[in-house]
Amino acid sequence: MKIACALALGLLLAHPVLGKDLYLETQVKLRVAKKDEKRSREGGLEHVPFRIWLPDGVKTIRGVTFNPFYTKAVTQEHWQSACRHWEFGILAANFFGVKNDEIPTMIDTALAIFARESKHPELITAKLCPLGMSSGAGMSTRIAEQLPDRVIAVGPVCLEVGPRDTKSMKIPMLTVFGDRDGRQYEKLMAKLPATRAQGGRFGIAPQWGRRHDFARANNLLMLLFDAAICHRLGKPDEPLRSFSEERGWLGDVSKWKAGNSTIAPFMEYQGDKVKTCWLPDAKTAHAWQAFVTFKPMLKLKNPPGLGDGQPFILHKVDELIEVEVAGNPIIKGPIEVRSGAEKIGELKDGKLNVKFSSPGFYPVFLQAIAEDGTTIMSRPNTLIVE
């Protein structure tokens, strides 16, 4: 990709936030101007606006999350906390109205500018975790197709998309959607087996009863990114490691409306592997199983998770965190508190204090036995611990 093909315009702006955290912004000139529409006017019709956030105290930026249609993503506190844990930056742009073939050059040009101005030369070839909602979901998958050797994982939300070509099939991808959002449920249920038959590292996760709403998607997407980053990412100058299909887990979608979404490691799954969601590890698989619960009889009152207007709380290592069930569910036996694949305690009088001894991402949910003997779960709230 020749960076000289695109010209940068304007002065980059830098200002400290949260100590010495750095925000930079620039505009990159297009070869073909955008049409004059409301969503394409940011930065002007001849330029694409880019912003980046970089965490203080990180010597080498290991990669960036990338929202291609929402420049305010750089200010989101929960993603800043996640990226600080990964030693990542947050890159954001507004590609509305931009020709697809210009996008890779735009990304390279902006990253080269940010690398120079931030004195982080590793940004020039930064690895990416694209995510976005609606049009941003489609653009995220397109970036995976255009830059497959640099994309770690993809988190599309609210669009019936997934991997489409041979190279993007090898990239972990999880599409989260509202089951009442047009025909997305129907289309994704058809797309899943067609993609999985080609070995796609692909899964889907409905937010039941939702329409075109990002809602609680980050409770899964951060886990997807964390697993993929841990497995695939080496040093900045090293190629991404492959993520073999056999190393993942599988989740059955055939009975999820009946509350019976079974999960298992890939090599132990007994059913038709093509008709399942592929998930990167046990933690993500157990969180997915709770996330896709159709009509949960258990609900987690505290602690708050990510999305739906819940307050974001960044937790500390060994901090006591109160877990509390909502209401008085009718169950047999105790209510377990789980974090991913691990049981971490049982509620007493509807509450339990827990703590985590190392930094990371913890999808907390409740599990119990209903009166009819079936296993029931709450949906998960993912906690970030530093």
Side-chain angles (χ1 to χ4, degrees):
M1 209 69 61
K2 293 185 178 180
I3 293 174
C5 292
L7 300 175
L9 176 73
L11 180 68
L12 280 88
L13 305 175
H15 51 88
V17 177
L18 295 178
K20 296 182 181 179
D21 289 357
L22 187 64
Y23 284 82
L24 301 173
E25 58 186 63
T26 192
Q27 296 178 16
V28 180
K29 186 171 177 61
L30 287 162
R31 186 182 72 249
V32 179
K34 298 173 282 187
K35 292 182 179 180
D36 187 9
E37 298 177 1
K38 182 178 179 180
R39 294 189 295 179
S40 63
R41 290 172 187 160
E42 184 181 6
L45 299 181
E46 295 185 353
H47 300 86
V48 173
F50 281 86
R51 294 179 180 176
I52 198 168
W53 168 89
L54 299 173
D56 178 39
V58 176
K59 182 177 180 181
T60 301
I61 302 296
R62 301 179 66 230
V64 294
T65 60
F66 182 29
N67 195 311
F69 279 156
Y70 186 57
T71 56
K72 292 181 180 180
V74 297
T75 66
Q76 293 178 317
E77 187 181 359
H78 52 295
W79 277 106
Q80 289 179 354
S81 296
C83 287
R84 200 183 304 276
H85 174 80
W86 296 319
E87 299 183 323
F88 268 40
I90 301 173
L91 180 67
N94 183 348
F95 282 141
F96 278 112
V98 177
K99 300 293 184 183
N100 288 338
D101 63 352
E102 292 205 56
I103 288 169
T105 300
M106 298 287 103
I107 295 171
D108 282 350
T109 302
L111 284 173
I113 295 168
F114 291 146
R116 182 179 69 248
E117 294 296 320
S118 68
K119 297 182 174 55
H120 278 287
E122 68 275 13
L123 284 173
I124 293 174
T125 56
K127 307 301 192 297
L128 312 169
C129 285
L131 74 154
M133 175 181 170
S134 193
S135 298
M139 183 59 70
S140 295
T141 62
R142 194 168 293 120
I143 289 166
E145 294 166 6
Q146 294 171 324
L147 298 170
D149 295 334
R150 287 170 60 187
V151 171
I152 304 166
V154 187
V157 182
C158 292
L159 200 66
E160 57 277 9
V161 293
R164 295 187 299 181
D165 61 9
T166 301
K167 290 186 176 180
S168 64
M169 291 286 174
K170 299 178 181 179
I171 299 172
M173 195 175 302
L174 180 60
T175 300
V176 184
F177 65 101
D179 76 302
R180 295 185 181 180
D181 192 359
R183 296 177 57 209
Q184 286 190 26
Y185 183 86
E186 175 188 344
K187 291 180 177 180
L188 283 166
M189 287 294 278
K191 185 173 185 62
L192 180 68
T195 305
R196 289 282 300 112
Q198 300 175 68
R201 282 51 153 182
F202 178 53
I204 62 177
Q207 303 204 70
W208 300 111
R210 300 300 184 101
R211 297 186 186 275
H212 205 60
D213 185 1
F214 196 96
R216 299 170 56 86
N218 284 333
N219 289 284
L220 275 186
L221 295 185
M222 285 188 183
L223 303 176
L224 171 78
F225 285 178
D226 188 55
I229 289 166
C230 290
H231 185 79
R232 303 197 69 204
L233 189 61
K235 296 178 180 178
D237 57 348
E238 294 178 344
L240 290 171
R241 293 185 283 265
S242 63
F243 206 139
S244 70
E245 188 181 11
E246 293 77 10
R247 287 183 64 97
W249 278 59
L250 298 178
D252 177 27
V253 303
S254 64
K255 298 179 181 179
W256 53 13
K257 286 188 178 181
N260 189 24
S261 299
T262 57
I263 56 173
F266 184 94
M267 299 304 293
E268 298 176 17
Y269 189 81
Q270 298 299 310
D272 186 348
K273 293 180 171 65
V274 167
K275 296 179 180 179
T276 61
C277 292
W278 184 91
L279 301 156
D281 63 359
K283 180 194 289 186
T284 308
H286 281 82
W288 174 90
Q289 185 181 38
F291 188 92
V292 302
T293 299
F294 184 51
K295 293 181 179 179
M297 297 171 62
L298 287 176
K299 295 184 179 180
L300 189 59
K301 183 176 180 180
N302 282 310
L306 303 170
D308 275 354
Q310 298 178 94
F312 173 66
I313 300 174
L314 178 61
H315 299 279
K316 302 291 185 181
V317 166
D318 289 330
E319 165 194 342
L320 287 178
I321 303 168
E322 184 179 73
V323 179
E324 183 179 7
V325 67
N328 297 293
I330 300 173
I331 58 168
K332 288 184 177 180
I335 297 177
E336 298 178 355
V337 180
R338 304 187 71 88
S339 175
E342 305 296 326
K343 176 182 174 181
I344 57 176
E346 295 179 357
L347 297 185
K348 298 185 184 303
D349 298 322
K351 298 181 180 180
L352 177 70
N353 286 328
V354 301
K355 60 182 180 179
F356 300 99
S357 59
S358 59
F361 300 83
Y362 296 91
V364 174
F365 61 94
L366 306 177
Q367 181 171 302
I369 304 299
E371 280 194 310
D372 62 2
T374 59
T375 299
I376 57 175
M377 300 175 183
S378 72
R379 295 194 176 125
N381 284 352
T382 292
L383 312 183
I384 304 176
V385 176
E386 68 167 9

